Amino acid sequence: MVPKPEEINLLTGESDTQQIEAEKKPTSALDEPVSHWRPRLALNVMADNFVFDGSSLPADVHRYMKMIQLGKTVHYLPILFIDQLSNRVKDLMVINRSTTELPLTVSYDKVSLGRLRFWIHMQDAVYSLQQFGFSEKDADEVKGIFVDTNLYFLALTFFVAAFHLLFDFLAFKNDISFWKKKKSMIGMSTKLWKVKKALKMTILWRGLMPEFEFGTYSESERKTEEYDTQAMKYLSYLLYPLCVGGAVYSLLNIKYKSWYSWLINSFVNGVYAFGFLFMLPQLFVNYKLKSVAHLPWKAFTYKAFNTFIDDVFAFIITMPTSHRLACFRDDVVFLVYLYQRWLYPVDKRRVNEFGESYEEKATRAPHTD
C-alpha cells in the first residue's frame, strides 16, 4: 500500500522515521505502493469438545472445519482461526532496500466456540464494509473498536448507547429536549439580545416559529450580564496566550506532515479551548451572586446523563488526544457546578441556562376586583 507521509519538524526538516531512502526518491515515487510487513501473527484454536449435528452444521464455522472419517464416525480436526482483526494498519512496517531482518511475534491462544463465532462474524462484517466502499483506514478504525476494547466494556457501551436513545425519546416527550434545541439555535439561551443598554429582546421558540418579546432588564439580569462580560474578559486574557503559546510549542517540538496539518491542529485546539471558555462564565456568575439558578430534577438528570455519556465513547473510539481530553471539559464544569449547588442556595428568580425562571416578583399590585 502507499506508505503514510513521514512526519517532520517543519522548522528544521528533521525526521526520525525509518524511511531514510524516501528522501532520495523523487516525489512521484512517494505515492507508489510499497511492501509492508505484519509483525504479529495471532493463532486461535477452539478448545471446546463440542459435538455438532452433521445435518445442520453452522455455516460460519463449517468453512473452518476439516473432516476425517474414523470408522463410522466423522471427526473434525481442531479448528484453527487466524485472527485478522488484530492486524492494524498502524502496526504495519515498511519494507525498504536497507531492511535486513524483521520482527515476528507469533501468539497462540485457545478460544471457545461462542467467542470463535463472534470473531468470525466481526471479521466478515469488516470485510463487508470494504466491499461497500469503506476505505481501508475507515475499516481499520472499526476494527480498533472491537480489538482494542475489552468485550465486556464494549457490551456496556452498547447498553449505555441504547439507554441514551431511550432517554432522549422520553426527554423529548417531556419537552426537556426542547431546551436543548433552543440552546443550539440561539447560541446562549440565557443571554438576552440587547437592543439598547436598558432594553432586551427575548427569543421564544414555539415549535419552529420564533416569537419575540421586548422588555427591560431587571436588576438581577443586569448583574448577571455584567458578571458574564467580566468573566469572558478575564478568561480571554488567559486563553489567548495559551492558544498562541501551544501553537508555537507544537511547531517547535512536534513533528507534522505539512504546514497545513499544523495549522488545522492549532485551529482545532483553539476551538476546544474556546469551547471550554464559554462553559465557565456561568460558574463565575454563580460565584459572584452566591446562588445558583433553579433547575428541575428532570432537566438536571438529563444534563448529568449527557455530561458523562461522552466519556464512555471517548475510551473506545480512536481519536486524537486533544479531542479525547475535550470530552472531559463538561465533567470538570459539571463537578464544579455540583459543588456550587451544594454551597450556595437555589434562587428560583434567576433565569437558568435554558432561559426559564420559576419564580418572578410581581411588577404591580394585585387587582382588588
Side-chain angles (χ1 to χ4, degrees):
M1 68 177 188
V2 177
K4 294 186 297 184
E6 58 178 340
E7 297 180 347
I8 61 174
N9 188 299
L10 298 177
L11 297 180
T12 63
E14 296 179 354
S15 173
D16 55 356
T17 62
Q18 299 178 351
Q19 303 178 30
I20 303 176
E21 292 185 356
E23 301 178 357
K24 303 177 183 178
K25 295 181 180 179
T27 306
S28 58
L30 296 178
D31 297 331
E32 298 178 356
V34 298
S35 299
H36 287 68
W37 175 261
R38 283 180 179 171
R40 184 172 180 270
L41 177 63
L43 304 176
N44 296 284
V45 176
M46 193 188 79
D48 293 350
N49 187 17
F50 193 85
V51 179
F52 292 95
D53 184 359
S55 59
S56 58
L57 287 174
D60 50 1
V61 180
H62 182 260
R63 66 177 185 265
Y64 289 94
M65 300 177 68
K66 292 185 178 181
M67 312 292 187
I68 59 173
Q69 183 79 31
L70 296 178
K72 296 182 179 181
T73 308
V74 178
H75 295 262
Y76 62 92
L77 297 178
I79 299 177
L80 176 65
F81 177 72
I82 301 177
D83 186 7
Q84 302 286 353
L85 290 176
S86 60
N87 292 322
R88 302 291 306 279
V89 173
K90 64 180 182 180
D91 299 328
L92 297 180
M93 303 174 61
V94 176
I95 303 176
N96 51 44
R97 296 182 179 179
S98 62
T99 303
T100 58
E101 59 182 23
L102 291 165
L104 176 61
T105 301
V106 180
S107 61
Y108 165 82
D109 197 5
K110 60 182 181 180
V111 62
S112 63
L113 177 61
R115 195 179 183 93
L116 172 65
R117 300 188 67 178
F118 175 79
W119 286 121
I120 290 176
H121 283 290
M122 290 299 102
Q123 193 164 284
D124 292 343
V126 172
Y127 178 76
S128 300
L129 291 178
Q130 293 178 307
Q131 299 301 311
F132 283 118
F134 277 63
S135 65
E136 188 174 11
K137 179 182 178 183
D138 295 334
D140 186 71
E141 291 180 355
V142 176
K143 287 166 53 176
I145 295 177
F146 296 98
V147 175
D148 298 338
T149 309
N150 183 276
L151 286 180
Y152 296 104
F153 183 74
L154 188 62
L156 175 64
T157 304
F158 284 133
F159 173 78
V160 171
F163 184 75
H164 183 244
L165 293 176
L166 177 62
F167 199 83
D168 277 340
F169 174 74
L170 296 177
F172 180 79
K173 292 183 63 176
N174 290 277
D175 292 331
I176 298 177
S177 59
F178 169 72
W179 296 341
K180 186 177 180 182
K181 291 181 179 179
K182 183 172 67 174
K183 182 180 178 182
S184 64
M185 288 181 177
I186 66 175
M188 299 179 66
S189 59
T190 57
K191 288 291 149 222
L192 300 174
W193 191 4
K194 289 183 179 179
V195 179
K196 292 183 179 180
K197 184 175 182 180
L199 296 179
K200 69 177 181 180
M201 182 176 72
T202 306
I203 304 176
L204 300 177
W205 292 89
R206 307 299 182 188
L208 297 177
M209 298 296 296
E211 293 184 4
F212 302 93
E213 293 184 357
F214 297 89
T216 58
Y217 278 108
S218 65
E219 183 64 24
S220 176
E221 291 172 340
R222 279 195 291 269
K223 286 185 178 181
T224 301
E225 177 70 21
E226 177 185 352
Y227 294 146
D228 190 278
T229 304
Q230 186 179 358
M232 291 293 293
K233 181 179 68 173
Y234 292 153
L235 290 172
S236 62
Y237 291 159
L238 175 64
L239 285 183
Y240 279 121
L242 284 178
C243 292
V244 175
V248 174
Y249 175 84
S250 63
L251 180 62
L252 295 175
N253 299 278
I254 301 178
K255 296 178 173 60
Y256 293 94
K257 299 175 183 178
S258 62
W259 284 95
Y260 178 77
S261 177
W262 168 80
L263 187 64
I264 293 297
N265 184 76
S266 301
F267 281 147
V268 168
N269 290 334
V271 170
Y272 292 149
F274 281 97
F276 186 63
L277 169 67
F278 288 117
M279 297 180 187
L280 296 178
Q282 185 63 41
L283 302 180
F284 184 77
V285 173
N286 294 341
Y287 168 74
K288 297 296 289 187
L289 296 179
K290 304 299 181 185
S291 65
V292 294
H294 175 67
L295 197 63
W297 277 107
K298 289 184 179 180
F300 179 80
T301 305
Y302 181 79
K303 181 178 180 180
F305 187 79
N306 278 274
T307 298
F308 297 103
I309 188 66
D310 294 337
D311 303 346
V312 180
F313 296 97
F315 288 104
I316 69 169
I317 299 177
T318 304
M319 61 182 68
T321 304
S322 57
H323 186 79
R324 181 172 280 112
L325 292 176
C327 293
F328 298 98
R329 297 175 303 177
D330 298 352
D331 300 13
V332 176
V333 176
F334 188 71
L335 291 176
V336 176
Y337 169 76
L338 288 180
Y339 175 72
Q340 290 183 333
R341 193 178 176 90
W342 171 79
L343 184 65
Y344 302 138
V346 176
D347 187 359
K348 292 187 177 182
R349 293 172 298 176
R350 281 184 54 186
V351 177
N352 60 25
E353 62 183 284
F354 301 113
E356 302 234 350
S357 177
Y358 292 86
E359 184 178 309
E360 297 183 0
K361 289 183 177 180
T363 56
R364 61 181 181 180
H367 203 283
T368 57
D369 291 346

